[in-house]
Amino acid sequence: MSCNESSRPTVTIVSAADAGYFWGLYLLAASVAKSGMGFPMNLLIKGFNDTQRRLLEQFEGVSLHEISDDSARNLCMRKAEAFSHANTDYIAWLDSDCVVVGDISKLIIPKNGEMQLRLRLPFETTEAFSHFYEDGEKREGLARAVAKTWQEDVGERDEPRHDSIASSNCFVVHRRHLPFIARWEEQIKKVLPSENSGVVNYEYAHYWQTDESVLNSLILFADDAPEVSDYQMGDRDGAHVAHFVLQPKPWVKWTRRHIRYMPFTFDLLDWVEENGFDLPDEIPPALRRSRGWINTLEAYAITAYQETRYFGGRVLRRVGAIA
């Protein structure tokens, strides 16, 4: 090992999923293996059978950790446990519906040595708070009522550290900030019910994005929150992390938003087989190269349906037809 290699900061990738997201973790683990970065992966799992475990563990560096108890909480609220199994300089969280496209090893280390995550652009922040702006309030930045709740629940800073909120699907922290990650879990227990309510739940008022809302409350108002540096893994023209946000996921159906990654996914599964790794016995139709043209037609139809429902709902809410 060269001197430069021995002094390079070490990184562990962590994620979590139940059996319903097995294909997500499989694609993530395969994409990390294909990238050649050599990063270990610690995966927190729940309900996986022996075959699913073997298929994940065949990729070098993958370690599986069963969820520690029978808590009813969704795994999205248990992320801190995945961090606790890592012992490297940096720990990178990637959602189980992410894949790594290319070698991100030069991008994954935060520029400031503390924390790397993506703060939303102004229009994204406005969209995120669209349900929470009060009458007469300027519809931009943090919604006043939400910020007030977060500040009171955290109880430290009077003013928010940023005028935006972060997307938590992919972020990186230095291990010295593990106490902050542990605090995130404790804050989740403090402000959210002990139930499996999914990843997004508007019944939770100002914590509708569940774990992500709690993380943002701490980033904005906690004294010990890491300083955030520029997000470096979002340039789709180079190596990056792709996030298959919203439903359906690509292993179920493709949408127009994600169809650009269909060839990448086909090539990834070909690479798995060509390099002597095992594929699951049943490949979902959406991941079969022979169905590429059908997937494309379905993607446009699904997206058209989703957009019609979304914009139709906004019109009906504006005229008071629905709440």
Side-chain angles (χ1 to χ4, degrees), residues 7-307:
S7 61
R8 183 180 300 167
T10 54
V11 179
T12 298
I13 292 175
V14 298
S15 190
D18 59 23
Y21 272 65
F22 162 73
W23 266 104
L25 277 191
Y26 184 86
L27 294 174
L28 174 58
S31 70
V32 172
K34 184 175 185 290
S35 75
M37 296 181 294
F39 293 156
M41 295 186 70
N42 288 350
L43 306 179
L44 189 65
I45 60 171
K46 182 177 183 179
F48 281 46
N49 61 38
D50 289 343
T51 298
Q52 291 170 328
R53 293 174 63 96
R54 179 183 61 79
L55 287 167
L56 292 173
E57 289 178 323
Q58 70 180 322
F59 298 111
E60 185 177 0
V62 170
S63 298
L64 303 182
H65 305 272
E66 288 284 348
I67 196 76
S68 61
D69 57 42
D70 294 326
S71 169
R73 291 183 185 274
N74 189 286
L75 275 185
C76 73
M77 300 189 199
R78 306 291 301 274
K79 293 176 179 177
E81 189 172 336
F83 282 79
S84 70
H85 296 291
N87 58 10
T88 48
D89 299 320
Y90 290 93
I91 305 160
W93 170 269
L94 273 68
D95 276 0
S96 56
D97 55 356
C98 289
V99 290
V100 172
V101 182
D103 182 351
I104 60 170
S105 57
K106 294 182 179 179
L107 306 173
I108 203 166
I109 306 300
K111 289 181 178 179
N112 65 358
E114 294 196 32
M115 185 179 200
Q116 176 184 176
L117 84 172
R118 191 180 76 84
L119 292 173
R120 285 183 165 89
L121 297 171
F123 80 90
E124 294 176 297
T125 300
T126 297
E127 180 65 25
F129 286 109
S130 61
H131 291 274
F132 302 101
Y133 292 115
E134 298 172 339
D135 290 345
E137 182 178 359
K138 193 172 184 179
R139 298 179 66 84
E140 66 179 33
L142 310 176
R144 186 166 50 218
V146 176
K148 182 175 185 293
T149 297
W150 290 357
Q151 190 279 327
E152 291 174 349
D153 287 345
V154 175
E156 293 177 2
R157 292 175 59 96
D158 292 329
E159 296 297 326
R161 187 176 275 105
H162 307 284
D163 60 0
S164 179
I165 55 174
S167 175
S168 66
N169 64 284
C170 175
F171 64 95
V172 188
V173 295
H174 192 276
R175 66 174 299 98
R176 68 178 176 275
H177 293 300
L178 285 178
F180 174 79
I181 297 298
R183 181 181 178 183
W184 178 24
E185 183 172 49
E186 290 305 309
Q187 192 72 2
I188 286 172
K189 294 176 181 178
K190 173 184 172 182
V191 301
L192 292 175
S194 299
E195 61 186 17
N196 188 347
S197 57
V199 178
V200 177
N201 190 331
Y202 282 94
E203 293 182 5
Y204 288 169
H206 298 159
Y207 292 99
W208 73 103
Q209 291 176 315
T210 60
D211 66 297
E212 182 171 291
S213 293
V214 178
L215 179 62
N216 275 299
S217 73
L218 292 170
I219 289 172
L220 293 178
F221 292 104
D223 289 336
D224 63 345
E227 289 296 330
V228 175
S229 67
D230 294 339
Y231 185 71
Q232 305 174 86
M233 295 176 285
D235 181 3
R236 297 194 305 182
D237 293 327
H240 64 285
V241 173
H243 180 212
F244 299 130
V245 66
L246 304 178
Q247 298 288 348
K249 303 302 181 184
W251 54 90
V252 178
K253 296 285 184 184
W254 291 90
T255 62
R256 191 174 66 195
R257 182 186 189 121
H258 302 133
I259 199 71
R260 73 190 306 269
Y261 291 104
M262 186 171 66
F264 167 84
T265 306
F266 293 158
D267 290 345
L268 177 61
L269 295 181
D270 288 346
W271 177 89
V272 166
E273 192 168 28
E274 290 164 1
N275 284 270
F277 298 106
D278 290 335
L279 290 166
D281 290 338
E282 293 293 327
I283 307 298
L287 299 183
R288 298 175 191 167
R289 190 183 294 274
S290 61
R291 278 182 51 94
W293 67 275
I294 298 175
N295 291 343
T296 302
L297 292 177
E298 287 180 341
Y300 280 84
I302 289 169
T303 302
Y305 171 73
Q306 290 175 334
E307 290 177 349

